Amino acid sequence: MKKRVFDLTREDILTASRQDILAAIQLAEGRTIMAECVTTMQPAIDLVSNPEIAAAFGADMITLNCLDVFDAKVEVLGGETHGTATSLDINTVKAFTGRLVGCNLEPVPDDVTHIPAGRAVSEASVTQAIELGMDYIMLTGNPGMKVSQETILDAIALVRRLSEDIIIIAGKMHGGGVGNDYSLSFVQQFAEAGADIMMFPAPYTTPGITTNMACEIMSEVHKQNMLGLLAIGTSQEGGTESYIEQVAMEAKAAGADIIHIGDGGYSGLAVPENILRLGLTVRGRRHQFKRMANRR
């Protein structure tokens, strides 16, 4: 399949292998956009879900955050009033968006016990995520969850042991309760454990991450034959469009294969105009409008 990720249709995604998807991201040359959304929050717009809004504004990959894989549903606003569904299951989300859909599972340490079992990494939760049809699993931590590079490394090995077919995205986009960690010593270890894509903060999102540092990080990730993701996960996804534009340009210049925009805008999603601005910046109107329109 010699297609770029922003050219993939729903049918392409249904039949694509792990290597097909990774190749499509690589062929896009830094123009792949991931939007994260909170599944448990009602979206700001009625009768549609956050993943549908993300797809409509141009996301290629949609990451479901705070999803309990043992009770997997995505909230919809106003369903009861209009006599329609108040939530969507994962198959419906994939059908309605036509995009790559994955979920965040958190490799929390043993002393973090307040997280539901369906959100934390375990053999049972990973197996369930795969059975739900996730295109990828993202191993990272929400704020305060004490997720570290060490706990992520263990989780990579677990997921890869359970499946050779699922795409693994792993890393930190912010401190996550234990502080920021920009060490490159984990890059080779993540690759050897089975990660496909490694994640770090995008320039200007966490203290000390400059474009030069991001470039060095992405270079090391690519040396280990992984793809690189740079993330806006510090609620700055709710910032100005000019800020998003600057981060997008710097992240692409640093070598990011995927640029992530987090869920800290309105009601569990980035400000939709910022998803649009991100896409316009890294791929121009032609590919951005095509991605927005094509959900076949």
Side-chain angles (χ1 to χ4, degrees), residues 208-231:
I209 287 287
T210 62
T211 304
N212 287 341
M213 179 181 287
C215 186
E216 181 182 354
I217 289 169
M218 290 294 98
S219 178
E220 186 61 31
V221 167
H222 292 146
K223 283 180 185 177
Q224 298 300 327
N225 296 315
M226 292 186 291
L227 299 180
L229 182 154
L230 291 176

Side-chain angles (χ1 to χ4, degrees):
M1 184 191 301
K2 298 294 184 180
K3 283 189 175 185
R4 298 164 296 193
V5 71
F6 47 77
D7 293 321
L8 297 180
T9 65
R10 182 189 301 115
E11 291 302 316
D12 291 330
I13 291 169
L14 286 175
T15 59
S17 68
R18 170 187 166 202
Q19 292 304 324
D20 287 336
I21 293 169
L22 294 172
I25 294 169
Q26 194 165 34
L27 284 171
E29 297 183 290
R31 292 176 286 183
T32 302
I33 295 172
M34 174 190 287
E36 192 167 357
C37 53
V38 178
T39 61
T40 55
M41 295 178 70
Q42 291 189 332
I45 302 171
D46 60 322
L47 299 182
V48 289
S49 65
N50 276 333
E52 291 172 274
I53 299 169
F57 279 81
D60 303 295
M61 305 174 73
I62 298 170
T63 299
L64 307 178
N65 192 17
C66 299
L67 179 76
D68 185 332
V69 295
F70 300 124
D71 185 23
K73 59 186 179 183
V74 177
E75 292 295 320
V76 176
L77 175 64
E80 287 184 1
T81 303
H82 293 84
T84 60
T86 58
S87 64
L88 305 178
D89 62 27
I90 302 306
N91 285 334
T92 304
V93 169
K94 295 185 74 172
F96 283 4
T97 62
R99 305 296 160 81
L100 295 162
V101 175
C103 70
N104 174 16
L105 288 177
E106 303 187 57
V108 296
D110 293 339
D111 62 341
V112 174
T113 58
H114 61 278
I115 183 173
R119 283 178 48 191
V121 172
S122 68
E123 185 166 333
S125 66
V126 171
T127 300
Q128 179 67 10
I130 294 168
E131 290 180 356
L132 287 170
M134 296 297 171
D135 297 302
Y136 60 90
I137 292 174
M138 190 156 80
L139 302 171
T140 192
N142 281 301
M145 289 298 179
K146 299 183 181 180
V147 170
S148 65
Q149 303 287 34
E150 289 85 357
T151 64
I152 294 171
L153 182 61
D154 290 340
I156 297 168
L158 171 63
V159 176
R160 186 54 73 220
R161 176 171 62 81
L162 294 172
S163 173
E164 287 292 330
D165 298 323
I166 195 78
I167 290 172
I168 299 175
I169 304 172
K172 298 186 67 179
M173 65 181 76
H174 49 60
V178 293
N180 295 301
D181 186 349
Y182 313 136
S183 173
L184 298 182
S185 64
F186 285 95
V187 177
Q188 183 175 350
Q189 295 177 63
F190 275 33
E192 291 174 349
D196 298 295
I197 302 166
M198 190 165 182
M199 172 170 56
F200 284 90
Y204 312 128
T205 61
T206 59
I209 287 287
T210 62
T211 304
N212 287 341
M213 179 181 287
C215 186
E216 181 182 354
I217 289 169
M218 290 294 98
S219 178
E220 186 61 31
V221 167
H222 292 146
K223 283 180 185 177
Q224 298 300 327
N225 296 315
M226 292 186 291
L227 299 180
L229 182 154
L230 291 176
I232 307 170
T234 47
S235 292
Q236 290 165 288
E237 56 268 29
T240 62
E241 290 184 43
S242 61
Y243 168 79
I244 297 296
E245 191 172 60
Q246 184 175 5
V247 174
M249 290 188 293
E250 300 287 2
K252 188 173 181 181
D257 300 288
I258 303 167
I259 304 175
H260 158 286
I261 186 165
D263 52 38
Y266 302 125
S267 300
L269 183 70
V271 176
E273 290 87 348
N274 284 348
I275 304 174
L276 173 62
R277 177 57 55 187
L278 177 56
L280 289 172
T281 303
V282 300
R283 58 192 178 204
R285 284 176 169 79
R286 173 193 171 201
H287 293 309
Q288 176 64 11
F289 293 163
K290 175 175 62 180
R291 180 74 290 184
M292 293 166 69
N294 187 357
R295 279 180 275 167
R296 293 191 297 272

